[in-house]
Amino acid sequence: MEAFVLPKAELGGFVAKLKANYEVFGPVAKGTEFVFGAVAAAEDLRLDYDTTILPPKKYFHRPVETLFTFNGPVEIAGEGEKVAGKQLLFGVHPCDVNALLSLDKVFLNTYPDPYYKARRENTVIIGVNCVAPCENGFCSSFNTGPAMDTGFDLALTDIGDKYVVEVGSAQGKDLVAGLAAASEADLVARNKALRACQQKITRQIDAENLGELLHQNVEHPKWEELKEECLACGTCTTVCPTCFCFGVKDYVDLSLKAGERPRTWDSCMFYEFSRVALDHVFRPGRAARIKQRIFHKLTYFNQQFEGSPGCVGCGRCVSTCIKAIDPVEIVAAIQENPNPPEEVKLYTPPAKKVTPETSPWAPQKAVIKAIKQQTKDTTTYTFAFADPKVQEAYTYDPGVFNEISIFGIGEAPISISSCADVKDSFDHTIRAVGNVTNALAKLQVGDIVGIRGPYGVGWPVEEMKGKNVLLVAGGIGLAPLRPVIKYIQARRDQYGDFEILYGARTPNDMLFTGEFEEWRKIPNTRLYLTVDIVPPGVEWGHNIGVVTTLFDKMASRPENTIMVTCGPEIMMKFVVRGLLARGFSPEQIYVSLERRMSCGIKKCGNCQIGPVFVCQDGPVFKYADIKDLPEEIF
Amino acid sequence: MAKPKIAVFKFSSCAGCQLSILNIEDHLLDVLGAVDVAYFVMAKRENHEGPYDIGFVEGAVTSPKELLELKKIREECKILVAMGACACTGGLPSIKNFAGTQREMEEKVYTELWDLKSIPAYGIDHYVKVDAYLRGCAVDVGEMVELIKSALLGVNPHFRPHSVCNECKLKENVCLLVNKGKPCMGSVTAAGCGALCPSLNRPCEGCRGPANDANAASLAQTFAVDLGLSRDDVRRKFLKYAGNTPEFKKGAEAV
Ligand SMILES: Cc1cc2nc3c(=O)[nH]c(=O)nc-3n(C[C@H](O)[C@H](O)[C@H](O)COP(=O)(O)OP(=O)(O)OC[C@H]3O[C@@H](n4cnc5c(N)ncnc54)[C@H](O)[C@@H]3O)c2cc1C
Ligand code: SF4
Ligand code: SF4
Ligand code: SF4
Ligand code: SF4
Ligand code: FES
């Protein structure tokens, strides 16, 4: 690597030169601490800093950031801010540089985020290697410090009265014009300084087999202890350089029409993070939330994003936690007294292709073509994209979902309930339970909404070919399964026996009742219906009882059968149990899961179950793939 | 849509929250354009009878007479908002709930007791259904405007019910507790104020009540063990604004 020297006495001039071309940010003092801030003069720059309150992440993934502004329920008025000129970060530590490389995987993979991307491309990074360990850091555990070997344009190392300046990019090369080349002695001094620092770092996590260790210790007394300690304040995640989670909410001005859709940093440490409509919270317990954080930092992130570290050992979470809760100490406590080792297979997400570089945030306009009331609170809408070219190009697999928007109210993930073969329109069947869905319920034919998608992995209709199919649906769960029924109907000869088991709370809660006759007429197909209760005065000639009571009536046997199910989680749990008891294997069972979603594109973190992103790795999963996840599903 | 009728009522309180409504200078004219202020004794001479679309109730209920009034207000308002710490959790008036029996309190404060009919101070949801809460002492004007907009749109307002620490860290404040050893309650207190006090170098007093899943007992331990606060001081911290809530009660009883 090419290296130069910058005498400390010349730092001021060097920075002044940079300031002529860039907006320069660097570590500056704030009270007794440090923050990254605008560098007014070189004297402000504190390259001897230990750590900053927030990491430089804030210049790329901003704490609050507008995705777009709108004017009216579907009219996009403008994009968010993408950084005008070039910015330069001076004095980034190796852990924070490596954290950015990890964040790149989140924001540049699959659906590249235009804002993050623009800032990454427009930012020059001058790093500074650490010659003295900070108090709580443990970077050497993950090879993310005290020196950096990639991810920078220039990297400085303090060797006394001068810095050795390594060049990491062509852009960096331009910046060292005029500096003298480093001598052999300078490089020796650099290596000595860094080695000395490395040796002084005593805080370590033994990262070998960390994933297996944690997975084996999902239940460990340490978590109960931490639950009593932790304040659930979320500071640990707010200050973490690799945390990426955020929430999305619309804000309108008093015209109630114009406004913006920002994303705001959010965190798995908060109770509300997994809260959905009707006040259901998927991860209510503090112990579960602490585990999510620690596991995400120390193993899930690495599983989700191709071996990138989810913790770079910067030590911020330790320094800022009122209770000094410390990953190093947690791992040590578990290692000291581990559960008996058992074989664990770590989840690997399915590969995803990178999509074209359009803004993944901006919905397309879609017109409501028809509305059909299904039940008191559930309605099927037929949509077509306003732009015929968009509609023509639109294809989807059975079981995937769209994000539906009404600007000013918000966005909600909704499965597509129509057959993928229909080309000029598509259906959504929606239950009115909250802000967006209630607003949708007020719309009429001809009204326009915003839609982006399709997202996710659907039902295994290819794998099902040549096999018998058992479909078990509960309540609104029939909506995402309706495409499977239609798909098989259209290709009847490619599938074996087909049985549909459908349960709802009462006869009046059943969806698609008008289509039952048609489904019964599909050759080799049987439809069984059941309800939990029959209110007085309602006629009902079918089964009464939960959906699993239909198992005794069905003909489906495990041999050569694929089972697909969707419904409330508790229902799916009993369906899966019932089928396992009847000899089905976890490989034959497919379930569709729900979690809170704020992006649909593996960015916001809301939908995680252990290492799984429901929005992109699912929502349809083979039961075998998820049954052993650390966050017990069912 | 006709302009929604808004009413503002006051019970036992300092009237500071009402005053904050008058302080929404930046938005006041727009808000007044969007709503019809039908009843607001502090702000206008002519006040109209109910029913109202949105009623804001300030103050805690501390007498049987107030209780009757509150029940009537509930009937008259489509959306009832508890405005400020006193209406949300009992607020400062609720300190009396923890200072001896009701009678002892009365005797400490008043000499003529024969006409006195006072009851313990609770948030108004102790007695009637409340549709929305504007927390804080005093309320945050931004949240107030957000709530009015949400009501006009017919949606649930999504306040950020995170900890004050969250907002404090986003401002990159030097932590008063960790770095300066001050007994700040931000970690267990619901955000929405923008970490107002810590940003002005004052520890959070917990006026917005507990954040969801607040672990007050653990913070009480920190106050007592790490900062050396006396048992009484720790109690006072947790009882000051929201001692009626089960979460802060745990903090008060932890040491
Ligand atoms: C993959 C997937 C497919 C779905 N398919 C359908 C469908 O076909 N028909 C249908 O009626 N409903 C479906 N839902 C549920 C639907 O997304 C929620 O009912 C809806 O988001 C509620 O939004 P709201 O604004 O009306 O509710 P609010 O309570 O106002 O929303 C509050 C917040 O919670 C989120 N949220 C609320 N409920 C859910 C939920 N269940 N899942 C994820 N995020 C939620 C919202 O995005 C928002 O951020 C599906 C959910 C998922 C995850
Ligand atoms: S900073 Fe500490 S107390 Fe706060 S949520 Fe994180 S681990 Fe818990
Ligand atoms: S988990 Fe803690 S030590 Fe690791 S990167 Fe995040 S803040 Fe730093
Ligand atoms: S899920 Fe992971 S990235 Fe998101 S807030 Fe929690 S620890 Fe941070
Ligand atoms: S000063 Fe208070 S509110 Fe701010 S981070 Fe510290 S404890 Fe939290
Ligand atoms: S990561 Fe945002 S919804 Fe899945």
Side-chain angles (χ1 to χ4, degrees), chain A residues 229-236 269 293 317 320-323 325:
Chain A
E229 286 273 297
C230 170
L231 303 167
C233 69
T235 292
C236 46
M269 286 310 304
R293 166 167 90 92
C317 57
T320 48
C321 175
I322 291 169
K323 308 302 288 192
I325 289 172

Side-chain angles (χ1 to χ4, degrees), chain A residues 30-36 52-55 58 63-64 226-235 238-239 247 249-254 256 264-267 270-273 275 284-286 289 319-323 408-409 434-435 439 442 596, chain B residues 1 27-32 34 145-146 148-150 152-175 177-180 184 186-188 211-223 226:
Chain A
K30 180 165 185 178
T32 51
E33 306 296 297
F34 299 95
V35 296
F36 266 89
T52 51
I53 298 178
L54 289 184
K58 68 180 181 179
V64 185
L226 288 166
K227 178 184 92 181
E228 298 303 322
E229 286 273 297
C230 170
L231 303 167
C233 69
T235 292
T238 308
V239 300
K249 186 195 172 315
D250 290 5
Y251 287 90
V252 286
D253 62 24
L254 270 161
L256 302 185
T264 308
W265 287 358
D266 204 341
S267 151
F270 295 125
Y271 175 86
E272 297 77 17
F273 186 68
R275 185 206 289 272
R286 201 155 56 238
R289 301 206 303 279
S319 316
T320 48
C321 175
I322 291 169
K323 308 302 288 192
I409 311 277
N435 286 348
K442 292 191 192 119
R596 176 170 180 135
Chain B
M1 177 175 72
H27 305 286
L28 189 60
L29 287 179
D30 294 334
V31 173
L32 288 180
V145 174
E146 192 57 28
I148 293 175
K149 286 191 291 195
S150 299
L152 292 174
L153 279 171
V155 300
N156 289 320
H158 282 280
F159 296 138
R160 263 172 85 77
H162 297 356
S163 66
V164 170
C165 284
N166 181 239
E167 293 185 319
C168 193
K169 278 285 160 295
L170 291 181
K171 292 193 161 171
E172 295 196 82
N173 292 333
V174 175
C175 183
L177 201 167
V178 173
N179 301 102
K180 297 189 181 169
C184 181
S187 55
V188 295
N212 275 335
D213 199 29
N215 189 353
S218 178
L219 185 64
Q221 288 299 333
T222 297
F223 285 171
D226 300 348

